[in-house]
Amino acid sequence: MANLKIDFEEFKNLDPNNVGSWPVMVKAAIVLGVFIAALVGGYYFDTKKQQTQLSAEERKEVELRDKFKQKQWEAATLPKLQEQLREIESNLEDLQNRLPNKAQVAGLIQDISQQAIATGLSSELFKPGREEVGQVYVKLPITLRLNGDYHSFGNFVSGIAAMPRIVTQHNISIETSSSRNSDKPLTMEMTAQIYRYLDESEAQ
């Protein structure tokens, strides 16, 4: 074991022109030092760079896997989404067909008035209000005061609901009529709401 100890005094008298004469332990120490330096240099200049690249590739792999899962989910749900879109488009088309344009509103107002006459009601008030412009359609409220009986009111409300155009009914109230007409003992007040398309100029 004593022969393996390095005598550092031997490094002082080394002849750089005669390496072959250097002590064995000195040569071994120098070779070991060069080997360690090569390892350290290889790590910093090659292995460390490769590890950085490997980490980047691993992150990229995770991102690609996530994208693949997302695309796979989209591909699996695409037929269902397309079916839902077709259903929405069909419902929208049906809704559009049931909304009159501006020129057809007058005819719809007349249809409501004719419905009251057809069901035997007499009209005390039939007053279209101010239009309310929304983002997609325009609302036109019509205030009605009609005289009749329960049976006639029921027929009128059902007839309005069955119209091919969309007309909603709001704030319905029925009271005893102030008139002494026995055929029309009740008065019904309500608001009929008409919806129509926005014209291009209104939409702009």
Side-chain angles (χ1 to χ4, degrees):
M1 295 296 293
N3 293 332
L4 296 178
K5 293 182 179 180
I6 299 176
D7 186 1
F8 291 98
E9 293 295 329
E10 296 178 349
F11 286 90
K12 296 180 179 180
N13 302 318
L14 296 178
D15 184 2
N17 297 321
N18 189 9
V19 178
S21 64
W22 289 3
V24 175
M25 294 305 298
V26 173
K27 292 179 182 179
I30 292 175
V31 170
L32 180 61
V34 171
F35 178 72
I36 293 174
L39 287 177
V40 174
Y43 173 78
Y44 279 102
F45 293 103
D46 187 22
T47 305
K48 189 175 182 179
K49 181 179 179 181
Q50 291 179 352
Q51 287 179 339
T52 302
Q53 292 176 345
L54 178 61
S55 298
E57 292 297 327
E58 288 175 345
R59 289 193 298 270
K60 185 176 180 181
E61 180 184 5
V62 172
E63 292 175 359
L64 290 175
R65 285 181 181 273
D66 291 341
K67 288 182 180 179
F68 174 76
K69 291 179 180 178
Q70 177 67 21
K71 295 296 183 183
Q72 191 177 39
W73 178 84
E74 291 175 357
T77 57
L78 181 59
K80 185 175 181 179
L81 293 176
Q82 289 176 334
E83 181 181 353
Q84 290 177 349
L85 178 60
R86 287 192 294 268
E87 183 178 350
I88 291 172
E89 289 175 346
S90 176
N91 292 337
L92 180 60
E93 183 179 359
D94 179 63
L95 179 63
Q96 289 175 342
N97 291 333
R98 297 183 63 190
L99 290 179
N101 57 34
K102 192 172 185 178
Q104 295 170 326
V105 169
L108 182 55
I109 293 175
Q110 186 176 1
D111 290 342
I112 296 173
S113 177
Q114 289 296 325
Q115 184 67 34
I117 296 173
T119 52
L121 300 175
S122 63
S123 177
E124 284 189 17
L125 179 67
F126 192 96
K127 181 181 178 182
R130 176 177 295 182
E131 289 187 334
E132 301 176 18
V133 180
Q135 294 182 344
V136 180
Y137 52 79
V138 177
K139 294 190 296 184
L140 174 63
I142 301 174
T143 303
L144 301 171
R145 186 181 301 118
L146 305 169
N147 294 323
D149 54 29
Y150 282 114
H151 181 71
S152 299
F153 292 155
N155 290 337
F156 174 77
V157 170
S158 299
I160 295 298
M163 282 184 171
R165 301 297 188 183
I166 297 176
V167 181
T168 57
Q169 303 172 67
H170 308 270
N171 304 323
I172 298 176
S173 64
I174 299 176
E175 297 178 351
T176 302
S177 176
S178 59
S179 68
R180 297 183 179 181
N181 189 340
S182 59
D183 293 335
K184 299 178 176 59
L186 302 173
T187 298
M188 180 175 70
E189 293 188 5
M190 63 173 292
T191 300
Q193 193 96 318
I194 293 176
Y195 302 84
R196 70 168 177 83
Y197 282 126
L198 278 173
D199 287 348
E200 291 184 4
S201 60
E202 294 172 323
Q204 292 174 357

